[in-house]
mmCIF file of all heavy atoms in Angstrom:
data_model
loop_
_atom_site.group_PDB
_atom_site.id
_atom_site.type_symbol
_atom_site.label_atom_id
_atom_site.label_comp_id
_atom_site.label_asym_id
_atom_site.label_seq_id
_atom_site.Cartn_x
_atom_site.Cartn_y
_atom_site.Cartn_z
ATOM 1 N N HIS A 820 21.813 8.173 1.699
ATOM 2 C CA HIS A 820 21.685 6.787 2.157
ATOM 3 C C HIS A 820 20.315 6.184 1.866
ATOM 4 O O HIS A 820 20.172 4.950 1.818
ATOM 5 C CB HIS A 820 21.990 6.691 3.664
ATOM 6 C CG HIS A 820 20.871 7.136 4.557
ATOM 7 N ND1 HIS A 820 20.555 8.460 4.767
ATOM 8 C CD2 HIS A 820 19.987 6.412 5.292
ATOM 9 C CE1 HIS A 820 19.547 8.548 5.602
ATOM 10 N NE2 HIS A 820 19.170 7.319 5.942
ATOM 11 N N ASP A 821 19.284 6.998 1.652
ATOM 12 C CA ASP A 821 17.946 6.456 1.412
ATOM 13 C C ASP A 821 17.371 6.845 0.056
ATOM 14 O O ASP A 821 16.150 6.756 -0.150
ATOM 15 C CB ASP A 821 16.979 6.932 2.511
ATOM 16 C CG ASP A 821 16.964 5.999 3.712
ATOM 17 O OD1 ASP A 821 17.513 4.877 3.605
ATOM 18 O OD2 ASP A 821 16.417 6.383 4.754
ATOM 19 N N ILE A 822 18.203 7.264 -0.890
ATOM 20 C CA ILE A 822 17.654 7.706 -2.177
ATOM 21 C C ILE A 822 17.031 6.555 -2.967
ATOM 22 O O ILE A 822 16.265 6.783 -3.908
ATOM 23 C CB ILE A 822 18.721 8.401 -3.043
ATOM 24 C CG1 ILE A 822 19.893 7.458 -3.342
ATOM 25 C CG2 ILE A 822 19.201 9.678 -2.381
ATOM 26 C CD1 ILE A 822 20.902 8.062 -4.319
ATOM 27 N N GLY A 823 17.344 5.323 -2.577
ATOM 28 C CA GLY A 823 16.758 4.178 -3.263
ATOM 29 C C GLY A 823 15.330 3.881 -2.822
ATOM 30 O O GLY A 823 14.590 3.176 -3.518
ATOM 31 N N LYS A 824 14.908 4.431 -1.684
ATOM 32 C CA LYS A 824 13.580 4.107 -1.152
ATOM 33 C C LYS A 824 12.431 4.535 -2.064
ATOM 34 O O LYS A 824 11.522 3.727 -2.330
ATOM 35 C CB LYS A 824 13.415 4.712 0.242
ATOM 36 C CG LYS A 824 14.138 3.940 1.329
ATOM 37 C CD LYS A 824 13.845 4.488 2.710
ATOM 38 C CE LYS A 824 14.472 3.611 3.804
ATOM 39 N NZ LYS A 824 14.198 4.139 5.162
ATOM 40 N N PRO A 825 12.407 5.771 -2.555
ATOM 41 C CA PRO A 825 11.289 6.151 -3.437
ATOM 42 C C PRO A 825 11.216 5.291 -4.700
ATOM 43 O O PRO A 825 10.125 5.086 -5.250
ATOM 44 C CB PRO A 825 11.604 7.615 -3.782
ATOM 45 C CG PRO A 825 12.443 8.100 -2.648
ATOM 46 C CD PRO A 825 13.288 6.922 -2.282
ATOM 47 N N VAL A 826 12.330 4.776 -5.150
ATOM 48 C CA VAL A 826 12.377 3.974 -6.377
ATOM 49 C C VAL A 826 11.723 2.606 -6.177
ATOM 50 O O VAL A 826 11.023 2.101 -7.068
ATOM 51 C CB VAL A 826 13.834 3.804 -6.857
ATOM 52 C CG1 VAL A 826 13.895 2.917 -8.089
ATOM 53 C CG2 VAL A 826 14.466 5.161 -7.142
ATOM 54 N N VAL A 827 11.949 2.012 -5.002
ATOM 55 C CA VAL A 827 11.465 0.649 -4.763
ATOM 56 C C VAL A 827 10.217 0.611 -3.881
ATOM 57 O O VAL A 827 9.734 -0.473 -3.534
ATOM 58 C CB VAL A 827 12.568 -0.213 -4.112
ATOM 59 C CG1 VAL A 827 13.792 -0.262 -5.007
ATOM 60 C CG2 VAL A 827 12.942 0.334 -2.726
ATOM 61 N N ALA A 828 9.686 1.785 -3.494
ATOM 62 C CA ALA A 828 8.575 1.851 -2.540
ATOM 63 C C ALA A 828 7.354 1.053 -3.002
ATOM 64 O O ALA A 828 6.924 1.150 -4.153
ATOM 65 C CB ALA A 828 8.185 3.309 -2.311
ATOM 66 N N LYS A 829 6.831 0.261 -2.075
ATOM 67 C CA LYS A 829 5.600 -0.490 -2.313
ATOM 68 C C LYS A 829 4.677 -0.321 -1.108
ATOM 69 O O LYS A 829 5.149 -0.194 0.020
ATOM 70 C CB LYS A 829 5.902 -1.982 -2.524
ATOM 71 C CG LYS A 829 6.680 -2.281 -3.792
ATOM 72 C CD LYS A 829 6.894 -3.773 -3.940
ATOM 73 C CE LYS A 829 7.654 -4.079 -5.241
ATOM 74 N NZ LYS A 829 7.876 -5.544 -5.396
ATOM 75 N N PRO A 830 3.353 -0.296 -1.329
ATOM 76 C CA PRO A 830 2.417 -0.138 -0.217
ATOM 77 C C PRO A 830 2.637 -1.197 0.860
ATOM 78 O O PRO A 830 2.807 -2.380 0.557
ATOM 79 C CB PRO A 830 1.036 -0.290 -0.879
ATOM 80 C CG PRO A 830 1.266 0.122 -2.292
ATOM 81 C CD PRO A 830 2.650 -0.384 -2.624
ATOM 82 N N ARG A 831 2.642 -0.763 2.103
ATOM 83 C CA ARG A 831 2.853 -1.682 3.225
ATOM 84 C C ARG A 831 1.505 -2.266 3.645
ATOM 85 O O ARG A 831 0.519 -1.539 3.808
ATOM 86 C CB ARG A 831 3.493 -0.943 4.399
ATOM 87 C CG ARG A 831 3.843 -1.834 5.581
ATOM 88 C CD ARG A 831 4.596 -1.019 6.636
ATOM 89 N NE ARG A 831 4.964 -1.788 7.796
ATOM 90 C CZ ARG A 831 6.022 -2.575 7.889
ATOM 91 N NH1 ARG A 831 6.837 -2.701 6.849
ATOM 92 N NH2 ARG A 831 6.303 -3.230 8.987
ATOM 93 N N ALA A 832 1.462 -3.603 3.831
ATOM 94 C CA ALA A 832 0.208 -4.269 4.202
ATOM 95 C C ALA A 832 0.475 -5.414 5.158
ATOM 96 O O ALA A 832 1.530 -6.063 5.104
ATOM 97 C CB ALA A 832 -0.507 -4.780 2.956
ATOM 98 N N TYR A 833 -0.457 -5.637 6.077
ATOM 99 C CA TYR A 833 -0.431 -6.787 6.983
ATOM 100 C C TYR A 833 -1.676 -7.633 6.699
ATOM 101 O O TYR A 833 -2.803 -7.130 6.763
ATOM 102 C CB TYR A 833 -0.455 -6.337 8.439
ATOM 103 C CG TYR A 833 0.857 -5.794 8.945
ATOM 104 C CD1 TYR A 833 0.890 -4.592 9.655
ATOM 105 C CD2 TYR A 833 2.056 -6.471 8.735
ATOM 106 C CE1 TYR A 833 2.085 -4.087 10.129
ATOM 107 C CE2 TYR A 833 3.250 -5.967 9.209
ATOM 108 C CZ TYR A 833 3.264 -4.776 9.903
ATOM 109 O OH TYR A 833 4.436 -4.268 10.374
ATOM 110 N N ASP A 834 -1.454 -8.891 6.348
ATOM 111 C CA ASP A 834 -2.571 -9.790 6.053
ATOM 112 C C ASP A 834 -3.521 -9.183 5.028
ATOM 113 O O ASP A 834 -4.757 -9.264 5.152
ATOM 114 C CB ASP A 834 -3.341 -10.118 7.340
ATOM 115 C CG ASP A 834 -2.493 -10.888 8.331
ATOM 116 O OD1 ASP A 834 -1.614 -11.664 7.888
ATOM 117 O OD2 ASP A 834 -2.695 -10.707 9.539
ATOM 118 N N GLY A 835 -2.924 -8.543 4.021
ATOM 119 C CA GLY A 835 -3.732 -7.987 2.947
ATOM 120 C C GLY A 835 -4.365 -6.657 3.269
ATOM 121 O O GLY A 835 -5.090 -6.089 2.442
ATOM 122 N N ILE A 836 -4.116 -6.118 4.472
ATOM 123 C CA ILE A 836 -4.704 -4.834 4.877
ATOM 124 C C ILE A 836 -3.644 -3.741 4.748
ATOM 125 O O ILE A 836 -2.591 -3.810 5.392
ATOM 126 C CB ILE A 836 -5.224 -4.885 6.326
ATOM 127 C CG1 ILE A 836 -6.274 -5.985 6.456
ATOM 128 C CG2 ILE A 836 -5.785 -3.530 6.739
ATOM 129 C CD1 ILE A 836 -6.772 -6.183 7.878
ATOM 130 N N LEU A 837 -3.901 -2.757 3.924
ATOM 131 C CA LEU A 837 -2.967 -1.666 3.734
ATOM 132 C C LEU A 837 -2.794 -0.872 5.023
ATOM 133 O O LEU A 837 -3.742 -0.673 5.787
ATOM 134 C CB LEU A 837 -3.459 -0.734 2.610
ATOM 135 C CG LEU A 837 -3.485 -1.341 1.210
ATOM 136 C CD1 LEU A 837 -4.101 -0.354 0.219
ATOM 137 C CD2 LEU A 837 -2.081 -1.729 0.759
ATOM 138 N N GLN A 838 -1.566 -0.404 5.244
ATOM 139 C CA GLN A 838 -1.237 0.319 6.469
ATOM 140 C C GLN A 838 -1.095 1.815 6.184
ATOM 141 O O GLN A 838 -0.483 2.221 5.198
ATOM 142 C CB GLN A 838 0.070 -0.222 7.053
ATOM 143 C CG GLN A 838 0.039 -1.712 7.351
ATOM 144 C CD GLN A 838 -0.966 -2.050 8.435
ATOM 145 O OE1 GLN A 838 -0.922 -1.494 9.533
ATOM 146 N NE2 GLN A 838 -1.888 -2.958 8.118
ATOM 147 N N TYR A 839 -1.690 2.612 7.112
ATOM 148 C CA TYR A 839 -1.637 4.067 6.983
ATOM 149 C C TYR A 839 -1.143 4.679 8.286
ATOM 150 O O TYR A 839 -1.269 4.072 9.355
ATOM 151 C CB TYR A 839 -3.019 4.630 6.643
ATOM 152 C CG TYR A 839 -3.584 4.105 5.341
ATOM 153 C CD1 TYR A 839 -4.310 2.915 5.311
ATOM 154 C CD2 TYR A 839 -3.380 4.788 4.154
ATOM 155 C CE1 TYR A 839 -4.814 2.423 4.109
ATOM 156 C CE2 TYR A 839 -3.886 4.314 2.945
ATOM 157 C CZ TYR A 839 -4.599 3.131 2.937
ATOM 158 O OH TYR A 839 -5.106 2.637 1.760
ATOM 159 N N ASP A 840 -0.584 5.881 8.180
ATOM 160 C CA ASP A 840 -0.153 6.560 9.394
ATOM 161 C C ASP A 840 -1.327 7.305 10.015
ATOM 162 O O ASP A 840 -2.460 7.242 9.518
ATOM 163 C CB ASP A 840 1.021 7.501 9.116
ATOM 164 C CG ASP A 840 0.640 8.692 8.247
ATOM 165 O OD1 ASP A 840 -0.549 8.842 7.896
ATOM 166 O OD2 ASP A 840 1.544 9.486 7.913
ATOM 167 N N GLU A 841 -1.096 8.040 11.111
ATOM 168 C CA GLU A 841 -2.148 8.731 11.844
ATOM 169 C C GLU A 841 -2.854 9.773 10.986
ATOM 170 O O GLU A 841 -3.993 10.161 11.268
ATOM 171 C CB GLU A 841 -1.571 9.390 13.100
ATOM 172 C CG GLU A 841 -1.040 8.417 14.140
ATOM 173 C CD GLU A 841 0.345 7.876 13.794
ATOM 174 O OE1 GLU A 841 0.884 8.278 12.736
ATOM 175 O OE2 GLU A 841 0.861 7.045 14.557
ATOM 176 N N GLN A 842 -2.176 10.256 9.953
ATOM 177 C CA GLN A 842 -2.756 11.276 9.088
ATOM 178 C C GLN A 842 -3.410 10.667 7.848
ATOM 179 O O GLN A 842 -3.806 11.387 6.923
ATOM 180 C CB GLN A 842 -1.682 12.272 8.670
ATOM 181 C CG GLN A 842 -1.031 12.987 9.846
ATOM 182 C CD GLN A 842 0.065 13.936 9.411
ATOM 183 O OE1 GLN A 842 -0.056 14.619 8.394
ATOM 184 N NE2 GLN A 842 1.149 13.986 10.177
ATOM 185 N N GLY A 843 -3.504 9.353 7.825
ATOM 186 C CA GLY A 843 -4.164 8.689 6.719
ATOM 187 C C GLY A 843 -3.309 8.521 5.480
ATOM 188 O O GLY A 843 -3.827 8.234 4.388
ATOM 189 N N ARG A 844 -2.005 8.634 5.635
ATOM 190 C CA ARG A 844 -1.100 8.507 4.484
ATOM 191 C C ARG A 844 -0.586 7.072 4.381
ATOM 192 O O ARG A 844 -0.277 6.443 5.387
ATOM 193 C CB ARG A 844 0.067 9.494 4.614
ATOM 194 C CG ARG A 844 -0.367 10.955 4.619
ATOM 195 C CD ARG A 844 0.814 11.880 4.858
ATOM 196 N NE ARG A 844 1.444 11.644 6.170
ATOM 197 C CZ ARG A 844 2.475 12.335 6.641
ATOM 198 N NH1 ARG A 844 3.010 13.306 5.898
ATOM 199 N NH2 ARG A 844 2.964 12.056 7.829
ATOM 200 N N GLN A 845 -0.497 6.605 3.153
ATOM 201 C CA GLN A 845 -0.073 5.229 2.901
ATOM 202 C C GLN A 845 1.367 4.985 3.358
ATOM 203 O O GLN A 845 2.278 5.731 3.024
ATOM 204 C CB GLN A 845 -0.173 4.932 1.410
ATOM 205 C CG GLN A 845 0.367 3.575 0.991
ATOM 206 C CD GLN A 845 -0.483 2.434 1.502
ATOM 207 O OE1 GLN A 845 -1.652 2.337 1.163
ATOM 208 N NE2 GLN A 845 0.091 1.571 2.328
ATOM 209 N N ARG A 846 1.567 3.927 4.145
ATOM 210 C CA ARG A 846 2.919 3.533 4.532
ATOM 211 C C ARG A 846 3.517 2.658 3.437
ATOM 212 O O ARG A 846 2.786 2.067 2.635
ATOM 213 C CB ARG A 846 2.918 2.784 5.867
ATOM 214 C CG ARG A 846 2.519 3.644 7.070
ATOM 215 C CD ARG A 846 2.770 2.916 8.366
ATOM 216 N NE ARG A 846 2.386 3.668 9.542
ATOM 217 C CZ ARG A 846 3.126 4.622 10.103
ATOM 218 N NH1 ARG A 846 4.302 4.932 9.571
ATOM 219 N NH2 ARG A 846 2.712 5.245 11.175
ATOM 220 N N HIS A 847 4.838 2.554 3.423
ATOM 221 C CA HIS A 847 5.511 1.799 2.366
ATOM 222 C C HIS A 847 6.585 0.877 2.928
ATOM 223 O O HIS A 847 7.079 1.058 4.054
ATOM 224 C CB HIS A 847 6.167 2.759 1.362
ATOM 225 C CG HIS A 847 5.200 3.616 0.612
ATOM 226 N ND1 HIS A 847 4.724 4.804 1.126
ATOM 227 C CD2 HIS A 847 4.618 3.456 -0.599
ATOM 228 C CE1 HIS A 847 3.889 5.358 0.256
ATOM 229 N NE2 HIS A 847 3.812 4.564 -0.798
ATOM 230 N N THR A 848 6.937 -0.095 2.125
ATOM 231 C CA THR A 848 8.118 -0.926 2.381
ATOM 232 C C THR A 848 9.134 -0.624 1.283
ATOM 233 O O THR A 848 8.776 -0.127 0.208
ATOM 234 C CB THR A 848 7.758 -2.423 2.351
ATOM 235 O OG1 THR A 848 7.207 -2.753 1.066
ATOM 236 C CG2 THR A 848 6.750 -2.757 3.437
ATOM 237 N N PHE A 849 10.383 -0.960 1.556
ATOM 238 C CA PHE A 849 11.446 -0.563 0.627
ATOM 239 C C PHE A 849 12.443 -1.692 0.433
ATOM 240 O O PHE A 849 13.613 -1.595 0.821
ATOM 241 C CB PHE A 849 12.168 0.684 1.149
ATOM 242 C CG PHE A 849 11.245 1.805 1.543
ATOM 243 C CD1 PHE A 849 10.947 2.035 2.882
ATOM 244 C CD2 PHE A 849 10.665 2.611 0.581
ATOM 245 C CE1 PHE A 849 10.101 3.063 3.250
ATOM 246 C CE2 PHE A 849 9.817 3.646 0.934
ATOM 247 C CZ PHE A 849 9.524 3.876 2.280
ATOM 248 N N GLY A 850 12.028 -2.753 -0.154
ATOM 249 C CA GLY A 850 12.906 -3.895 -0.351
ATOM 250 C C GLY A 850 14.111 -3.587 -1.223
ATOM 251 O O GLY A 850 13.981 -2.971 -2.286
ATOM 252 N N ASP A 851 15.281 -3.992 -0.741
ATOM 253 C CA ASP A 851 16.548 -3.818 -1.472
ATOM 254 C C ASP A 851 16.873 -2.357 -1.769
ATOM 255 O O ASP A 851 17.612 -2.060 -2.713
ATOM 256 C CB ASP A 851 16.532 -4.597 -2.794
ATOM 257 C CG ASP A 851 16.567 -6.096 -2.583
ATOM 258 O OD1 ASP A 851 17.174 -6.528 -1.576
ATOM 259 O OD2 ASP A 851 15.997 -6.822 -3.407
#
């Protein structure tokens, strides 16, 4: 059900600020 996510993954950002998790790993968005 989520095999399309790695293909469309883009860095997640709020107001131009990249978002990271607690371990410092880049979060992503997965449009379409």
Side-chain angles (χ1 to χ4, degrees):
H820 78 284
D821 272 348
I822 60 174
K824 283 186 174 180
V826 177
V827 301
K829 293 182 179 180
R831 184 175 180 82
Y833 284 132
D834 296 329
I836 301 176
L837 294 175
Q838 302 295 305
Y839 300 87
D840 68 3
E841 295 79 0
Q842 300 178 39
R844 298 176 298 182
Q845 174 69 61
R846 293 190 181 279
H847 296 85
T848 59
F849 310 101
D851 291 329

